Amino acid sequence: MSDFDPSFLLDVPPYPREGYATLADRLAAILRTRNDVLLVQGEAIIALEAAATSIARPKMRALNVVTSPYGRLFGLWLERSGAEVAHLVAQPGLPVTVEALTGALQARPETNLVALAHAESATGILNPLPEIARLARRQGALLVVDAVASVGGHALDVDELGIDIAVIGPQKSLGGPSGLSALSVSSRAWEAIMRPDAPVASILSLADLRLNWLDSGRGELPGMPSPLEFHALEVALDRVEAEGLDALIARHTLAAQATRDGLAALGLPSWVEDRDASNLVTAALLPAGLSADAVVRHPAAIAAGLDKGVGDLPRDPVRLNHTGPRARHEVVRANLSALGQALRECGVSVDVAAAVAAVDVHYRDRAAGMRLV
C-alpha cells in the first residue's frame, strides 16, 4: 500500500466566490482571447458535449473533422441536437489535410459550422488549425475547436484564429486537475446559442451557464463547486504564469524534438512527420511483426508509462508521453531508455545509449543557449 495519506483532502476550505472570475480571466490570457470564458465542473468531455449540444440546431450544416474517436463523438452530439452533419474522416490516426477540408467545403458551400480537434493524444498528431481557421472564416462558418491536447503545448491564439468556441482542460500541458474544464465563447457563438429553443435546465446548457453565472456577475458557480479542483487549478495556473506561456510551449517543443531524434537513433520512425506531430505525445512505429502489446507489457515500459496508440489503426504504434510535468529531460530520457530495453527483450537490436545521447544533445544545446543569453 502507498504511504500517501489522503485524509487531508476531506478538509479543503471552500473556494472563494470572487476567485472564479479571476480563474476565468487567467485562462482567457492563456487562450489569448477577449471572448467570454466559462468554467465547467467536469472533465473536458462534458464541456465538449455541452458545446455541441448548445450550438447545434435543426438545419445547421456542420462539417465535423474526425481524426480520433472523440471526433466521432462530437459529430454524434451535433446530430443528436438536430444539425445536418458531414463527417470528414481523415486517414486512420493521421491529421486531416487542408486539401481534403477545402474539397469538403467546396462540395458543401452552405456549411455554417466547422468542428475539429487541434491535437490528438490518441496518436500524437497535430491538425493544421491555422489553415483550417482561414478556410472557415472564408466560408463564414462558426469554428469549434477541441484544444484540450494542445493548449499550453502549442501556440493557440483564439482571437487571431477566429475560434468561436475553444474547449480546454487543464490536465495536460497546463499540469492541472482533470475534474474541471473551460470554454471560450465568441459573440458569434452566443448568437447561435442564445435562441428561443436553446436547451436549458441541463448540465450541458451553455445558455444556463451564461444566465446563471456570466450574466449574474460571475460570482458563485451554479451547483456545488468542488473546492479541491479549483484550488488545484489556481496552483497550476500559478506555475504556468511563473514559467511563462511561451516557455511552457518551448519546453514541450523541446521534449518532442528530443523524443523524435531519440527514436531515430533507435532506428524507429515516428508515426508522422514533424510538421504533423503533437508536442505532447510522440507515437513510434515498431518493426514489422512486433506488436505494441508485447512492448508495453515490459516492466520498464510500464514504469515509464508507455502505451499503445488508440483507435482503429493500420499499424500498431507505441506512444511516449511528454506532457505537462513530463516534458522534462529526465522523463524524455527515461521514455527512450525504457522503450529500448523493451525492444531488446523482444529480440530487436537497438542502441539505447545512442538514443539517450540524442536526447541529451538537445538539452545540452538548450542549456548552452541559455548561458549565452
Side-chain angles (χ1 to χ4, degrees), residues 57-105:
R57 62 184 184 276
K59 297 184 179 179
M60 171 175 274
R61 306 297 297 275
L63 178 62
N64 180 54
V65 176
V66 179
T67 50
S68 79
Y70 288 107
R72 292 187 184 278
L73 269 178
F74 198 84
L76 293 176
W77 295 329
L78 290 171
E79 289 175 336
R80 185 184 62 193
S81 295
E84 300 171 22
V85 182
H87 299 277
L88 177 57
V89 182
Q91 292 295 312
L94 297 179
V96 71
T97 66
V98 174
E99 293 76 17
L101 192 109
T102 301
L105 290 175

Side-chain angles (χ1 to χ4, degrees), residues 8 24 47 76 78 90 98 142 155 205 279 281 294 304 330 333 366:
F8 75 94
L76 293 176
L78 290 171
V98 174
L142 293 163
S205 172
N279 284 339
V281 174
E330 60 270 29
R333 212 174 188 268
R366 176 177 181 268

Side-chain angles (χ1 to χ4, degrees), residues 115 218 266 313:
R218 298 198 304 171
L266 286 176
L313 306 174

Side-chain angles (χ1 to χ4, degrees), residues 31 37-38 40 42-52 74 77 116-119 143-151 156 158 163-171 180-185 206:
L31 291 169
V37 171
L38 305 177
V40 175
E43 199 269 336
I45 197 166
I46 296 177
L48 286 164
E49 187 172 357
F74 198 84
W77 295 329
L116 77 152
H118 186 191
L143 180 61
V144 179
V145 176
D146 170 356
V148 176
S150 63
V151 64
L156 180 66
V158 165
I163 298 172
D164 293 291
I165 295 182
V167 179
I168 64 170
Q171 72 269 28
L180 52 81
S181 47
L183 312 92
S184 66
V185 185
L206 297 186

Side-chain angles (χ1 to χ4, degrees), residues 315-351:
R315 295 282 298 273
D316 201 14
V318 168
R319 292 183 298 165
L320 291 79
N321 178 3
H322 36 82
T323 304
R326 294 179 59 86
R328 305 194 315 270
H329 184 189
E330 60 270 29
V331 175
V332 175
R333 212 174 188 268
N335 283 346
L336 271 299
S337 179
L339 179 58
Q341 292 177 53
L343 289 169
R344 281 179 173 173
E345 290 293 326
C346 292
V348 181
S349 177
V350 292
D351 189 339

Side-chain angles (χ1 to χ4, degrees), residues 207-272:
D208 278 0
L209 262 179
R210 174 169 176 162
L211 293 170
N212 297 327
W213 184 65
L214 199 61
D215 291 351
S216 64
R218 298 198 304 171
E220 189 73 51
L221 283 173
M224 183 66 71
S226 169
L228 179 60
E229 300 290 342
F230 289 100
H231 283 295
L233 176 60
E234 182 176 324
V235 173
L237 295 181
D238 288 345
R239 291 175 175 176
V240 169
E241 290 164 4
E243 181 176 6
L245 181 59
D246 291 342
L248 176 63
I249 294 170
R251 176 160 59 83
H252 281 84
T253 302
L254 177 64
Q257 291 171 340
T259 298
R260 291 194 287 268
D261 282 357
L263 289 175
L266 286 176
L268 301 181
S270 298
W271 177 255
V272 290

